[in-house]
Amino acid sequence: MNQNSRLRIAIQGAVQGVGFRPFIFRLSKELNLTGWVLNSSQGVFIEVEGSKTILDRFMLRIQSEKPDPAFIQSFEASFLDCVGYEGFSIRESRDEGAKTVLVLPDIATCPACLAEISDPNNRRFQYPFTNCTLCGPRYSIIQSLPYDRAQTTMSGFEMCQACAAEYQNPEDRRFHAQPNACPDCGPQLAAWDQQGNVLESGQDALLLSVEQLQAGKIIALKGIGGFQLLVDAGNAEAVERLRKRKKRNEKPFAVMIGSVTAVKQVCRVNAFEERLLCSAEAPIVILDRGDASDRSSIAATVAPGNPTLGVMLPYTPLHHTLMSQMGRPIVATSGNISDEPICIDEDEALKKLSDIADFFLVHDRPIARHVDDSVVRMVKGREMMMRRSRGYAPMPITLKQKCSGVLAVGAHQKNSVALQIGNNAFVSQHIGDLETEESVVSFQEAITSLCRLYDAKPDLIVCDQHPDYISTRYAESTDIPVKQIQHHHAHVSACMAENQLEGPVLGVAWDGTGYGPDQTIWGGEFLLIGDQSYERVISLRPFRLPGSAKAVKEPRRSALGILFEIFGKSVLDMTHLPLMQSFSEKELQVLIGMLQTGFNSPQTSSIGRLFDAVASLIDLRQTISFEGQAAMELEFTTHGLSDEVHYTCSLADTVDWAPMINELLDDIGNGTGPGLMALKFHNCLVEMIVQVAKKVDVEKVALSGGCFQNRYLTERSIDRLEAEGFRPYWHQRLPPNDGGISVGQLFAAGQKKQSYC
Ligand code: ZN
Ligand code: ZN
Ligand code: FE
């Protein structure tokens, strides 16, 4: 099916006054696209309608054929429903009301700056802090607006004559480039040992770091938005050492690779993935390993058992120089200790990371706020954000409803906060799980700094319904009116917001955990969203989680909860199941006792826990070492398989998994391979969605929640829903996980309380 779509693109950069709009006009005409292009104080906006294939071509051709002086700093594209444009027009900029100055994200090094640092005759040859008006740090150095050098972390550096001349010359590429610097006047590198003794400084510090990396040492590097831990990706022993020291057993590491050509030697890269890799946002792109020829440069321990790899290209002059000296891929992972935000200060890093890193490569440009590397993946031919941070934050998501001075504080895991001003939802960088004191501090700082940057005093705070979330408690502790939005309602609302949907919408909100107003743990919800309210039309048949929070770390507990629900105490006889063997006799007695009485065994309708249960039943995973691991491995197990077979799911008052579990147990008994069982399970989940959609009979179906980071699940759900005549919607600019909740909270609160807006 190739239905027409509307492609909406928001572009920032040097695209004004360089013939960009006429270029878009010509390109649209040539491709027979209808729509418009608009130049405003908030950037260039394009909306065009046509078939997906042509729109794809349009997007790629903007990148490859744009007029020469144009440089794109931010390119956010979404596919939306058509509104029926006729012809193509260049729209007049209409700047209504108060202008909001946009704070730009941190932008990857532009080609002109890259040429300079590569030229031995240039005064900035190999200078790690080279930047210009088109590239370099922004959000990570801004303290307050207006964006002047004095209000950035560059205020302590006085420009030399040569730099000042560039800064003052309207003809120069560095005219008013706030972080402008050179080797004579700007920030400098230093190499430290674990005690903080300076071993080398300037260029020599970088060379020494490369030597250390080549020798298999772990480097803590102060980058643009915080520390990264680096190690030679081809050195299995060194990667293993990083895992041990970071206490990160199996969670995949991302790698940095010097060029797209080199990336193609280790992964499959299509034109869209290549565009993302090379974009000014320069995110980590999740790529398929495929059967790429060169496996030696990436040790198996980098992403164990994983058919995909997270890859980014160098995005600062420091990374460029380091990578070209290094000449092979490196692991580049967040410089933090578990659950804390990444370190941004070298003295703090020395304290926290000296048990992990052998060596520190630091510099003296302060970082105003931590900004992690972003993570993106292509799903169904569109971008899907997994972690929205560097390169994207704090660019706004455009909302249909106008509202001002509303702050949303997000959920608990993968927290982000968002501030609405007019149609713009300004989303903070990824803050992380609010599990540690440090992350709570950074959560509060993110709120303060968003409000300060946009000069806003919120008159409404929106939060989750969970009474114990730190974000909820924060909202309640202020003297500002609070509106609570149910977790899964917020998930679906986030999907509606970015897809510009109006109700009625059937929301499929599937994740691990969310507070339900009936005091159970929700996570397998079908919500009917009207314009003012939501109704939980159906959800997963509940089961008990023995040990509550502990069950999240042990998929076998979810499996036991499910088996107990079907078989009661006779589950104890199922001794042939590996999961039963994984418990001691005593453990089993205690757990069954808990399930019988309900003690510390809350009811849940979570699909995340259902994934866990299945992973445990087929013996992929009895316990996990990171969130979502069991579900991820179930997805990987289906890799390369395709078949229409699925387990049975039955639909009554709830979506019942009992028939599915029974069939799965038969398969286990018959010695069916884990891949086929995982596939039948995924396909069964998709059929559940289709069955509920048919029953509820609403055309628009929005897929949200952490489970839809699963590409197989998402893509198959889309295909099946479309085949049955529904219109599926999924995430593009916002993560499907809890990182998207803050925008969903804004959207839901705006729908409910028009009076506030
Ligand atoms: Zn530049
Ligand atoms: Zn200078
Ligand atoms: Fe969630």
Side-chain angles (χ1 to χ4, degrees), residues 55-185:
L55 293 176
D56 281 350
R57 204 174 303 156
F58 177 73
M59 225 187 329
L60 292 175
R61 286 184 62 182
I62 291 180
Q63 202 68 41
S64 58
E65 296 171 24
K66 63 182 183 304
D68 211 17
F71 180 74
I72 294 173
Q73 294 172 307
S74 163
F75 184 101
E76 298 221 42
S78 321
F79 288 90
L80 305 167
D81 285 344
C82 286
V83 290
Y85 292 127
E86 281 171 25
F88 191 90
S89 58
I90 296 185
R91 284 197 182 172
E92 280 313 308
S93 143
R94 43 180 177 90
D95 286 321
E96 323 154 329
K99 283 184 195 170
T100 317
V101 184
L102 296 183
V103 175
L104 286 181
D106 299 301
I107 301 151
T109 311
C110 75
C113 285
L114 188 56
E116 288 182 352
I117 61 161
S118 316
D119 173 6
N121 297 318
N122 191 284
R123 70 188 188 98
R124 288 190 173 87
F125 178 55
Q126 296 191 336
Y127 180 58
F129 306 97
T130 303
N131 65 82
C132 70
T133 44
L134 298 183
C135 73
R138 297 288 186 275
Y139 188 47
S140 67
I141 59 165
I142 292 178
Q143 285 157 328
S144 50
L145 286 178
Y147 176 51
D148 287 332
R149 189 169 176 107
Q151 316 249 41
T152 70
T153 62
M154 282 297 290
S155 61
F157 297 91
E158 202 183 322
M159 274 183 266
C160 67
Q161 269 189 359
C163 286
E166 293 166 340
Y167 184 87
Q168 284 151 11
N169 177 7
E171 307 284 299
D172 196 278
R173 207 172 90 244
R174 296 196 166 91
F175 178 57
H176 285 181
Q178 303 307 340
N180 189 25
C182 77
D184 291 335
C185 66

